[in-house]
Amino acid sequence: MRNFHIFIFICLSLFSHAESHAAGVDKKSKLTIVIPIQNSSRIKFGAGKLASTLKLIGYDVNIVQRDKAPATKNVIVIGTKNDKLLNSLAAAMNATGTQAGKEGFSITYAKNRNLVIEGTDPSGALYGCMELADEIKNTGKLPEKIALTDQPEMVLRGTCIGLQKPDYLPGRDVYEYPYTPETFPWFYDKALWIQYLDMMVENRYNSLYLWNGHPFASLVRLKDYPYAVEVDDVTFKKNEEMFRFLTEEADKRGIWVIQMFYNIIIPRPFAEKHNLKTQDRNRPIIPLIADYTRKSIAAFVEKYPNVGLLVALGEAMEGVGQDDVDWFTKTIIPGVKDGLKAAGIKNEPPIVLRAHDTDAPRVMTASLPLYKNLYTENKFNGEALTTYEPRGSWAALHRKLSAVAPVHIANVHILANLEPFRYGSANFIQKSVQAMDKIYGAKGLHLYPQSGYWDWPYTADKIGPRQLQVDRDWIWYKEWGRYAWNSKRDRNEEIDYWGKELAGKYGTDLASGKAILNAYEESGEISPKLLRRYGITDGNRQTLTLGMLMTQLINPYRYGLFTLMYESEAPEGEMIIEYAEKEWKKQGHIGETPVQIAKEVVVHGQQALAAINAAAATVTRDTAEFRRLKNDMYCYNAMANFYAEKVKSALWVLRYKYSNDVSDLEKALPLLEKSVSYYADLVKLTENDYLYANSMQTKQRKIPMRGVDKTFIHWKEMLPVFTKELDHFKKSIDSLKSAGKGKAIVLQPFKNAAVKILSDQGTYIIGRDAVVFTDSAAKIKDFTAQLNGLKAVKMAKTEQLKTGTTLKFSNTVPVKVLVGFFNKKGPSYLKAPELETDASANNYGQSEIKISNALVVAGYPPVNVHAYTFEAGTNTLTLGKGECLILGFINEKQEMRIYNAGLDGQGKDIDWLFE
């Protein structure tokens, strides 16, 4: 028996020796990694990662610092081009045949068989180490032959984390979130940061964006404004420590930390001391705020010299105009320069200018003579993922920015149409990155989390303890990072690559890994296609996965339709209302149609289910997560069928608008019933698996339902709404059949509320031929009966164009101020409230159109009515520059039925069929 054991031991030893010999080196041998004496933290970090990987396969690794490479064997030399260490090896090195660019590297064997990693710069050397480590992990050995040169396509490859929350803090407005342990406990979790930063470097990301409305009051203390700090002394010190820790750890990994901030937001203690609002979009630039902001930026740059800035000029200050240019050139850039001067730094750190809600090309033209190291950034598909074939004015803006900026960055933003279900379509993502380059000319990627941005670091999955986004959405980060490095990879090879990755994760074979990839890619077409063909907006005021009301499908303009999505962020095609009109008029269709998409998403859902079920029986690892992934495929399928049936129903409803034939509505009914049934399936699939559908749970959410105080965030809350809609439709059909004609709606005129106007404006009574401006003869031609007799405020349009509209008044009871916006875009018309560009656009409940096409003034487009709610007291309504109408005041309790008055000549209102 003893001899048998010796025999087995000898066999195993021989097998181990043979395996080691096949790997090219004795696994018990020592291996030395040599790095330069004057090495950077990035080279040291990369060498450490490589050493750890080598130790895992049995090597005894030692890292030493030298200026000359040793002549001994079993050495890996790591350095940068032209440093002393690599110069000492030059005569002995084997050239790879190509030269690497910025952040690039080459890996080759020298003539003495020592392995050399040469980086163009420290980041290149780091990435060379990571590349070799990946090769070793994949093969279990050092490569016997290698001659590789590589470099990234994109200059900046970044992810972002929001220091923001799903809802507002008490007494705060949107974006106002000081850095505190109570609000952001995860910010102080060093282990979590290390996990995230390691994920970033493994996927070759080189920039991390931190989003916050006004971070300076949590990170710097100003001599002139010490009272502006928003956190206590203990927290302030913690913030300093964490920010230094984060930036140092990021720098080791070749990651540039970029702090984002909005304009113009001021801290609450500062605002209270000076009797100011923390945010006031229509407030002109005042010297006090400009001085505070400039000094805050200067102090930040001096204190954290290796941290960049991302500036959002729009959103919290009034739209596009000279103020944007002045604020950037007279406050922000001077602040950065002040900080550099105080720190004795000559090299300009990059400033990223966000193009959102500003004329970025104009700002860049004015700024480049003052500051050279400027970048631009703009959303890829708005706040969603809809297409890899962007076009129109949005693509033109990107190209314009790419032409004017040294580096232009494409921002994959919010992803409101993807959350909360898992997304991992390598095909869609690869084509999107290719589009950034070919169509936009972008050389940078700025990537948001796949879902749950407002609830970082957690997912919406109903799991205890909460699941981390960095764990669940690993494939999201890996795919974007892989293609930001090289988007031109062969598609067939990529199928094999991702098949192996997924097979490894779930402990299955290559065929099943490819099936899982196929499920990701089939399901990955559903949300983009649904939103771009049926949606109201590409912004996060719409939660696509919660569904849409029938009125949103048949009357989208009522809900503030964001037409740019159809014109630029979708292939050429038709909206539902366009398709229905063409069908009635027997006209030909153009491009992608609603019917086509209804068919396609159903097929995608079926194929995703077939693929995921084909792989399910072979899964042996991470089975709980696979079950959740599989359930998501069923969710996608149910959602696709819900939309498909509802859209088919909507087309019959719209046909009734033209035919006035009740039989068309009868054909719509069973389709709508099917839609509700599929939605009930979706509720069952999500009820025990998801906490919510949308991570933003504030009043900004509008579609399908207005979300306030975390309401209408789950599918189970929406099912009664869709059921009620169906029941109302049935009753409407019965009513029409019994009456034999369309339903007449009688609306009583609004009653004037008792309001005293305190500003210097006159009034007029709404009626035919009433003059609406003090400095124009324009008269009312037509109006909806509800407005008849209202006491409107007569404004001077020249003043509206020059300085905006300000109306001061007092009221003893809460009131609604009815404001009329002309429903055509133009430089002279005040833009209606729009949450896509203005986060404060619903602070007074004003973002939704109450009465569409309610009034017509000679020489002007029809007017849409919005309502601003004010509590009792002395109040001020402040609006931006542009012509609009103040149509009167009504009691806040007076009911306002939302409808289309139809004075645009586009046909009758049929929303009443469903509400």
Side-chain angles (χ1 to χ4, degrees):
M1 189 68 178
R2 180 174 177 272
N3 291 337
F4 177 78
H5 287 161
I6 293 172
F7 173 77
I8 293 297
F9 175 79
I10 293 171
C11 290
L12 290 173
S13 299
L14 289 171
F15 176 80
S16 176
H17 177 76
E19 186 183 43
S20 298
H21 183 72
V25 66
D26 185 351
K27 284 194 176 181
K28 291 184 178 180
S29 65
K30 293 185 178 181
L31 196 153
T32 301
I33 294 177
V34 184
I35 59 177
I37 291 177
Q38 297 296 326
N39 71 83
S40 78
S41 60
R42 297 177 187 183
I43 293 178
K44 188 174 182 180
F45 180 85
K49 283 289 186 181
L50 179 57
S52 298
T53 303
L54 288 164
K55 289 176 182 177
L56 289 175
I57 61 169
Y59 285 97
D60 182 3
V61 185
N62 184 35
I63 300 175
V64 299
Q65 295 179 253
R66 299 281 187 274
D67 273 342
K68 186 176 181 180
T72 56
K73 293 183 179 181
N74 289 345
V75 172
I76 298 177
V77 182
I78 305 169
T80 56
K81 195 175 184 66
N82 298 324
D83 65 24
K84 289 181 181 180
L85 177 61
L86 291 193
N87 280 337
S88 73
L89 267 179
M93 286 174 60
N94 293 326
T96 62
T98 56
Q99 294 295 317
K102 184 179 180 182
E103 292 190 307
F105 61 85
S106 63
I107 307 174
T108 185
Y109 275 103
K111 291 179 181 177
N112 63 358
R113 292 298 296 162
N114 283 334
L115 197 53
V116 180
I117 300 174
E118 178 186 83
T120 304
D121 46 37
S123 287
L126 164 63
Y127 293 141
C129 293
M130 300 299 293
E131 182 69 25
L132 183 57
D134 286 347
E135 174 71 15
I136 294 167
K137 289 175 186 175
N138 290 333
T139 62
K141 62 181 182 179
L142 270 169
E144 294 181 6
K145 293 181 180 179
I146 188 169
L148 171 66
T149 297
D150 202 3
Q151 66 186 63
E153 283 181 12
M154 286 195 163
V155 175
L156 283 177
R157 307 168 304 281
T159 65
C160 88
I161 290 176
L163 279 101
Q164 305 188 89
K165 303 291 287 183
D167 49 2
Y168 296 171
L169 296 179
R172 297 278 186 173
D173 207 339
V174 63
Y175 304 133
E176 295 179 20
Y177 301 102
Y179 293 7
T180 68
E182 295 76 24
T183 304
F184 302 110
W186 56 264
F187 180 73
Y188 305 88
D189 187 339
K190 292 182 178 180
L192 181 60
W193 275 120
I194 294 297
Q195 179 188 3
Y196 187 79
L197 294 172
D198 281 347
M199 177 279 294
M200 291 186 69
V201 70
E202 286 165 8
N203 291 309
R204 313 304 190 261
Y205 289 109
N206 66 357
S207 44
L208 169 62
Y209 300 82
L210 301 178
W211 282 63
N212 185 268
H214 187 78
F216 308 117
S218 297
L219 296 169
V220 295
R221 192 187 306 275
L222 305 180
K223 179 181 178 182
D224 294 341
Y225 305 102
Y227 50 84
V229 175
E230 291 198 282
V231 297
D232 59 45
D233 290 344
V234 173
T235 299
F236 188 80
K237 289 180 180 178
K238 285 183 179 179
N239 291 346
E240 288 180 312
E241 179 198 352
M242 283 307 305
F243 216 74
R244 289 197 177 99
F245 165 81
L246 174 59
T247 53
E248 288 172 4
E249 290 296 326
D251 184 64
K252 292 178 187 176
R253 295 162 175 80
I255 298 166
W256 170 41
V257 176
I258 305 169
Q259 179 66 65
M260 176 271 179
F261 62 99
Y262 284 102
N263 292 288
I264 302 172
I265 297 178
I266 54 177
R268 186 163 67 175
F270 180 92
E272 290 173 348
K273 183 174 181 63
H274 296 285
N275 195 28
L276 296 166
K277 292 182 179 180
T278 55
Q279 300 181 50
D280 186 349
R281 186 176 171 87
N282 300 302
R283 174 172 54 203
I285 296 172
I286 61 175
L288 175 66
I289 294 178
D291 185 65
Y292 163 75
T293 305
R294 177 173 176 170
K295 287 175 178 174
S296 293
I297 293 170
F300 182 82
V301 170
E302 181 183 3
K303 190 173 185 178
Y304 307 105
N306 296 318
V307 180
L309 293 173
L310 169 61
V311 183
L313 280 181
E315 191 103 23
M317 65 187 295
E318 185 192 351
V320 176
Q322 186 61 38
D323 281 356
D324 291 13
V325 176
D326 291 344
W327 189 252
F328 199 69
T329 59
K330 297 179 181 180
T331 298
I332 292 172
I333 290 177
V336 173
K337 287 186 171 183
D338 292 346
L340 294 175
K341 183 177 179 181
I345 299 172
K346 293 183 179 180
N347 294 329
E348 296 177 342
I351 303 174
V352 182
L353 171 64
R354 189 182 182 212
H356 178 69
D357 197 27
T358 190
D359 186 348
R362 176 183 174 185
V363 175
M364 287 292 289
T365 300
S367 302
L368 282 169
L370 307 174
Y371 197 94
K372 299 300 180 186
N373 202 12
L374 296 177
Y375 295 67
T376 54
E377 180 248 56
N378 200 30
K379 295 173 183 175
F380 177 59
N381 287 162
E383 295 178 346
L385 188 64
T386 57
T387 185
Y388 44 77
E389 297 176 327
R391 60 193 178 93
S393 61
W394 199 244
L397 174 59
H398 274 274
R399 288 192 291 269
K400 195 171 182 179
L401 293 169
S402 296
V404 73
V407 175
H408 175 57
I409 304 163
N411 174 207
V412 180
H413 196 86
I414 292 290
L415 292 313
N417 66 324
L418 300 189
E419 68 173 358
F421 307 136
R422 289 156 178 77
Y423 190 94
S425 174
N427 187 36
F428 203 107
I429 289 172
Q430 183 176 12
K431 289 179 178 178
S432 294
V433 178
Q434 290 170 348
M436 291 174 183
D437 178 26
K438 294 178 182 178
I439 299 176
Y440 285 170
K443 297 302 178 186
L445 167 70
H446 176 184
L447 181 69
Y448 264 56
Q450 187 253 297
S451 72
Y453 166 77
W454 302 93
D455 200 15
W456 181 269
Y458 302 114
T459 73
D461 296 82
K462 202 171 184 179
I463 304 171
R466 295 285 299 276
Q467 189 178 30
L468 295 175
Q469 293 178 30
V470 70
D471 291 332
R472 189 195 90 159
D473 299 326
W474 65 274
I475 196 168
W476 172 261
Y477 292 108
K478 196 172 184 69
E479 286 174 344
W480 284 102
R482 181 172 175 82
Y483 298 122
W485 183 275
N486 180 5
S487 68
K488 299 177 179 63
R489 303 175 193 268
D490 179 77
R491 169 65 178 158
N492 291 326
E493 292 177 2
E494 289 305 286
I495 292 173
D496 285 339
Y497 174 83
W498 292 112
K500 290 175 184 176
E501 288 289 311
L502 289 162
K505 176 173 176 58
Y506 291 112
T508 185
D509 55 28
L510 180 59
S512 294
K514 289 183 178 181
I516 297 170
L517 174 65
N518 188 35
Y520 267 124
E521 295 192 337
E522 290 293 342
S523 64
E525 295 287 337
I526 293 172
S527 288
K529 287 184 175 181
L530 289 175
L531 187 69
R532 76 189 188 204
R533 197 48 53 206
Y534 308 146
I536 299 294
T537 173
D538 67 5
N540 60 15
R541 67 183 169 102
Q542 174 165 6
T543 305
L544 177 85
T545 53
L546 282 179
M548 291 173 67
L549 303 177
M550 183 63 85
T551 53
Q552 290 161 352
L553 296 177
I554 66 174
N555 188 12
Y557 285 101
R558 162 182 160 181
Y559 295 91
L561 180 69
F562 192 62
T563 56
L564 181 70
M565 179 174 65
Y566 289 93
E567 295 161 358
S568 288
E569 298 161 8
E572 185 178 18
E574 297 171 1
M575 293 187 292
I576 295 172
I577 55 175
E578 293 172 326
Y579 184 91
E581 183 180 9
K582 287 186 175 183
E583 279 288 288
W584 178 253
K585 295 178 178 178
K586 301 189 185 314
Q587 296 174 343
H589 298 289
I590 298 173
E592 191 176 79
T593 68
V595 172
Q596 170 194 339
I597 292 304
K599 293 177 181 177
E600 288 181 3
V601 295
V602 169
V603 172
H604 287 311
Q606 292 169 345
Q607 293 180 344
L609 288 186
I612 203 71
N613 284 320
T618 65
V619 170
T620 61
R621 188 180 302 143
D622 210 351
T623 54
E625 175 59 18
F626 182 81
R627 185 205 69 78
R628 291 188 286 268
L629 173 62
K630 180 180 175 182
N631 189 67
D632 277 0
M633 297 303 141
Y634 278 86
C635 291
Y636 274 118
N637 182 64
M639 181 176 70
N641 280 281
F642 159 78
Y643 272 104
E645 296 300 325
K646 194 155 192 173
V647 166
K648 288 186 284 185
S649 178
L651 289 171
W652 282 110
V653 171
L654 285 168
R655 182 177 176 83
Y656 166 77
K657 181 177 179 179
Y658 302 102
S659 71
N660 208 34
D661 186 344
V662 179
S663 67
D664 288 333
L665 299 181
E666 291 179 307
K667 292 171 185 173
L669 181 57
L671 297 169
L672 188 58
E673 289 174 327
K674 280 186 182 179
S675 174
V676 174
S677 177
Y678 281 119
Y679 199 86
D681 292 340
L682 186 55
V683 171
K684 292 176 184 177
L685 291 165
T686 56
E687 190 162 13
N688 296 319
D689 275 73
Y690 280 103
L691 297 169
Y692 55 77
N694 39 22
S695 62
M696 188 182 75
Q697 298 164 7
T698 67
K699 59 189 176 184
Q700 272 73 25
R701 291 186 302 106
K702 300 290 290 182
I703 300 170
M705 296 290 287
R706 182 169 182 250
V708 180
D709 299 328
K710 298 187 177 184
T711 56
F712 295 107
I713 63 174
H714 200 282
W715 297 265
K716 64 185 178 183
E717 294 175 272
M718 285 302 305
L719 182 57
V721 175
F722 292 132
T723 302
K724 183 179 178 181
E725 184 181 61
L726 173 62
D727 292 341
H728 191 102
F729 185 48
K730 290 177 181 178
K731 292 177 182 177
S732 295
I733 293 174
D734 291 341
S735 176
L736 286 170
K737 289 169 70 175
S738 61
K741 58 182 180 179
K743 180 179 178 181
I745 302 174
V746 179
L747 297 172
Q748 298 300 318
F750 292 128
K751 295 179 180 180
N752 287 297
V755 170
K756 183 178 181 181
I757 297 175
L758 304 176
S759 45
D760 187 22
Q761 288 107 4
T763 62
Y764 66 94
I765 302 301
I766 292 180
R768 198 173 299 276
D769 294 329
V771 176
V772 298
F773 296 113
T774 60
D775 51 354
S776 168
K779 298 179 180 180
I780 295 175
K781 288 176 58 181
D782 200 0
F783 56 92
T784 183
Q786 274 204 298
L787 300 179
N788 188 41
L790 273 185
K791 184 184 287 186
V793 181
K794 187 173 286 189
M795 312 295 296
K797 70 174 188 175
T798 52
E799 288 298 314
Q800 288 184 319
L801 290 168
K802 184 179 179 181
T803 61
T805 297
T806 301
L807 176 66
K808 295 182 180 179
F809 60 93
S810 63
N811 48 295
T812 56
V813 296
V815 297
K816 293 173 182 172
V817 183
L818 305 186
V819 180
F821 294 87
F822 298 105
N823 68 4
K824 182 179 180 181
K825 293 181 180 179
S828 64
Y829 304 134
L830 177 62
K831 186 168 72 171
E834 183 182 81
L835 283 164
E836 279 77 12
T837 56
D838 178 10
S840 65
N842 200 44
N843 284 359
Y844 300 91
Q846 77 270 30
S847 68
E848 188 174 51
I849 299 173
K850 298 299 184 183
I851 311 175
S852 306
N853 305 297
L855 182 143
V856 177
V857 176
Y860 285 84
V863 171
N864 295 332
V865 177
H866 293 245
Y868 290 68
T869 299
F870 288 88
E871 295 299 320
T874 300
N875 292 293
T876 302
L877 171 66
T878 305
L879 303 174
K881 297 173 185 176
E883 295 174 79
C884 67
L885 302 177
I886 308 298
L887 297 171
F889 305 83
I890 63 173
N891 192 294
E892 193 274 334
K893 293 182 179 179
Q894 186 161 0
E895 182 182 1
M896 288 194 75
R897 181 185 177 276
I898 299 172
Y899 66 99
N900 182 359
L903 299 183
D904 58 346
Q906 296 299 310
K908 62 186 179 183
D909 172 26
I910 55 172
D911 290 8
W912 57 268
L913 289 166
F914 300 95
E915 57 188 22

